[in-house]
Amino acid sequence: MELVTPALGLLFWQVVTFLVVLFLLSKFAWKPIMGALREREESIDSALTMAEKAKLEMQSLKADNERLLNEARAERERILKEATDAANHLVESARAKASEEGARMVEQARLSIENEKKAALTEVKNLAATLSIDIAEKLIRRELQDEQAQRALVQSYLQDAQLS
């Protein structure tokens, strides 16, 4: 039973040895160990702080990237809308120009046809007048071959002239 219950002398020397070891440890070992622990704790805290800052910076960068992406999308939509509007304007302008050109060509054709018609009518009138004169000349020559017929015709014209 002696092993289970230590003697009082043994207990005393164990306590003294423990206190000496405790004093030596506190004097020489605890300060460097505690300093190393404090230093490690500070480095862990600074690493956590840096990680938090990096996380916040990443969130800020992500927000900036999202904002830039949204601005780029808006710019793309604006450019597409401007391009579509410009294309529509060009198409409408081309349509209007083609319509005006068509109307101008139709008007020119109508004027040309009208001028050709007038020229043809004038030519027909001139031809009819020339033919009438030729026919009248031939008729008058035939009828006025004798002198008595000429006098009767002159008398008839004089009477018509006095009545008018």
Side-chain angles (χ1 to χ4, degrees):
M1 189 82 183
E2 205 174 285
L3 284 178
V4 178
T5 37
L8 190 61
L10 180 64
L11 193 58
F12 172 75
W13 286 113
Q14 283 181 344
V15 168
V16 169
T17 308
F18 177 74
L19 289 176
V20 168
V21 169
L22 186 63
F23 175 74
L24 288 175
L25 282 177
S26 69
K27 191 76 170 166
F28 297 109
W30 285 76
K31 285 183 182 178
I33 289 173
M34 291 305 285
L37 285 176
R38 251 185 256 110
E39 187 178 308
R40 178 162 175 159
E41 183 180 343
E42 288 173 5
S43 70
I44 289 173
D45 282 344
S46 73
L48 287 175
T49 304
M50 298 268 292
E52 187 65 30
K53 284 181 183 177
K55 182 181 176 184
L56 291 174
E57 189 175 328
M58 287 298 291
Q59 287 176 348
S60 172
L61 288 174
K62 187 177 179 182
D64 285 347
N65 285 343
E66 193 66 33
R67 181 185 52 81
L68 288 173
L69 187 61
N70 287 337
E71 287 176 5
R73 284 182 184 143
E75 182 71 15
R76 182 192 70 194
E77 292 298 322
R78 184 188 62 78
I79 289 171
L80 285 175
K81 185 180 182 304
E82 286 178 2
T84 303
D85 290 346
N88 288 340
H89 178 69
L90 285 175
V91 167
E92 287 300 319
S93 175
R95 267 193 202 138
K97 190 174 180 181
S99 178
E100 289 174 8
E101 185 68 21
R104 187 184 59 79
M105 289 175 74
V106 166
E107 184 62 23
Q108 282 182 344
R110 189 186 64 73
L111 289 174
S112 176
I113 290 170
E114 189 68 31
N115 289 338
E116 291 292 324
K117 181 180 170 185
K118 286 179 182 178
L121 283 175
T122 303
E123 189 177 331
V124 167
K125 285 180 183 178
N126 288 340
L127 185 60
T130 303
L131 286 175
S132 296
I133 291 172
D134 285 346
I135 292 171
E137 184 182 340
K138 287 180 184 176
L139 283 175
I140 290 175
R141 278 192 189 164
R142 186 190 257 170
E143 287 187 10
L144 296 179
Q145 285 180 354
D146 63 0
E147 192 177 319
Q148 208 169 12
Q150 286 178 7
R151 282 188 188 167
L153 184 61
V154 170
Q155 285 297 326
S156 143
Y157 282 146
L158 286 174
Q159 286 177 354
D160 286 343
Q162 288 175 0
L163 293 175
S164 307

